[in-house]
Amino acid sequence: MADGHYNNNHVPVLFSYSVFSRPSSVPVGSGHELLIQKFRSIYGHQIDVHRKFVIQLFSEEWGQYIDLPKGFSVSEKCKLRLVPLQMDITTLGNLSPSTTVFFCCDMQERFRPAIKYFGDIISVGQRLLQGARVLGIPVIVSEQYPKGLGNTVQELDLTGAKLVFPKTKFSMVLPEVEAALAEFPAVRSVVLFGVETHVCIQQTALDLTGRGLEVHIVADATSSRSMMDRMFALERLARSGITVTTSEAVLLQLVADKEHPKFKEIQNLIKASAPESGLLSKV
């Protein structure tokens, strides 16, 4: 067998994908998330991360594979297969504080004179970071080559951020970020803002959706050096199934109810309308 031998804490499982099958093992009690991780560890280079999948269990009773029952956990030797769905799944775009992480991308000092409406973007970014603290939402912050481009602008208060890390890759999705996300297994949504829309924001969003996360890009908190690049990137991302939204929509969706205990604090953040940051410009 692939793992050599099994002990009392592991169960043999046959993992099948496409025309391939490979015996391995998983810890007793493994559920859906651990099984998905196992499939990816075995077949990662063959799985199209942009697809949606279901896991099926071979049923001796029926003599064929059936969809994995809700709440299933591995307790005995079994056969599983990963099946790509043929139809795209359109998500509803719901947000809740317990399943959301905020990503702040490259809001650095050296970009100040170059990025269109950067002052407005900073202002909206402040609201989002304040909202994250009020609602207890984890924040992950990247800085693109800070040695040359400086650190995050002083106006943005990063107090309590889960991770602030330097990078040279355009996408924020690096091993240290994936490790930080793994600490929040319930997370299904990322609220993403920063610069530049057509480069780091776009590549981060596509990488995150490829990992099965739903991405919400805050249009009034992201920009580029060129309005053309900014607007075409937002259009492309929206067509890719990524939610393009606004800061006020995000914050109010996260509280969802006037009776939410944090509603008043969020309301105070949005009393004044956010700047339009050129989004409604006809120029």
Side-chain angles (χ1 to χ4, degrees):
M1 302 292 275
D3 290 347
H5 66 276
Y6 305 112
N7 58 39
N8 292 334
N9 296 320
H10 280 69
V11 180
V13 176
L14 183 67
F15 289 90
S16 298
Y17 175 69
S18 184
V19 298
F20 310 102
S21 292
R22 189 175 302 176
S24 187
S25 70
V26 295
V28 174
S30 294
H32 184 273
E33 292 303 319
L34 285 177
L35 293 173
I36 285 286
Q37 291 176 23
K38 189 69 175 183
F39 271 109
R40 285 179 172 164
S41 72
I42 296 174
Y43 298 112
H45 63 292
Q46 294 163 315
I47 292 175
D48 180 355
V49 295
H50 295 282
R51 300 290 296 276
K52 299 289 184 180
F53 297 90
V54 294
I55 298 177
Q56 293 187 326
L57 168 72
F58 186 79
S59 167
E60 297 291 348
E61 177 183 359
W62 295 103
Q64 64 182 30
Y65 282 92
I66 61 172
D67 293 347
L68 201 68
K70 186 175 182 180
F72 173 84
S73 63
V74 177
S75 60
E76 58 185 7
K77 182 178 179 180
C78 61
K79 300 177 185 178
L80 299 172
R81 72 177 180 185
L82 192 66
V83 181
L85 297 178
Q86 298 304 310
M87 298 178 63
D88 292 333
I89 294 178
T90 302
T91 55
L92 295 176
N94 287 328
L95 287 171
S96 69
S98 63
T99 60
T100 299
V101 171
F102 280 18
F103 274 32
C104 175
C105 182
D106 304 350
M107 295 285 281
Q108 293 158 256
E109 192 58 43
R110 285 287 295 275
F111 291 127
R112 191 185 294 270
I115 299 297
K116 295 289 187 182
Y117 301 96
F118 195 61
D120 290 349
I121 300 306
I122 292 172
S123 173
V124 180
Q126 287 175 318
R127 295 181 184 214
L128 292 167
L129 293 174
Q130 288 174 312
R133 284 194 294 275
V134 167
L135 298 172
I137 295 172
V139 175
I140 292 175
V141 182
S142 68
E143 295 178 337
Q144 180 75 15
Y145 186 56
K147 182 179 178 180
L149 298 173
N151 297 112
T152 302
V153 296
Q154 291 184 352
E155 295 97 316
L156 295 180
D157 183 359
L158 303 183
T159 300
K162 170 66 180 175
L163 177 67
V164 180
F165 69 100
K167 66 181 178 70
T168 57
K169 182 181 177 182
F170 296 138
S171 172
M172 289 178 68
V173 183
L174 293 170
E176 55 264 52
V177 174
E178 296 193 271
L181 287 173
E183 296 182 31
F184 306 101
V187 165
R188 67 168 185 263
S189 304
V190 173
V191 171
L192 174 61
F193 60 97
V195 299
E196 288 184 74
T197 314
H198 67 296
V199 187
C200 297
I201 294 293
Q202 179 169 276
Q203 292 184 32
T204 299
L206 295 173
D207 279 351
L208 288 169
T209 55
R211 284 157 174 77
L213 291 165
E214 183 182 273
V215 180
H216 297 245
I217 293 179
V218 187
D220 52 333
T222 181
S223 190
S224 300
R225 289 169 295 153
S226 155
M227 285 296 288
M228 178 180 70
D229 285 329
R230 181 191 188 192
M231 302 311 290
F232 272 97
L234 291 175
E235 182 179 348
R236 177 197 170 178
L237 290 164
R239 288 182 176 179
S240 299
I242 291 165
T243 300
V244 177
T245 184
T246 65
S247 56
E248 184 167 324
V250 164
L251 292 172
L252 289 176
Q253 191 171 17
L254 285 165
V255 292
D257 191 329
K258 181 183 179 298
E259 300 305 317
H260 190 286
K262 300 293 185 179
F263 172 73
K264 286 291 184 183
E265 291 177 74
I266 296 298
Q267 185 182 44
N268 287 335
L269 293 177
I270 61 173
K271 272 187 175 178
S273 296
E276 293 175 356
S277 65
L279 290 169
L280 301 183
S281 173
K282 296 180 181 178
V283 180

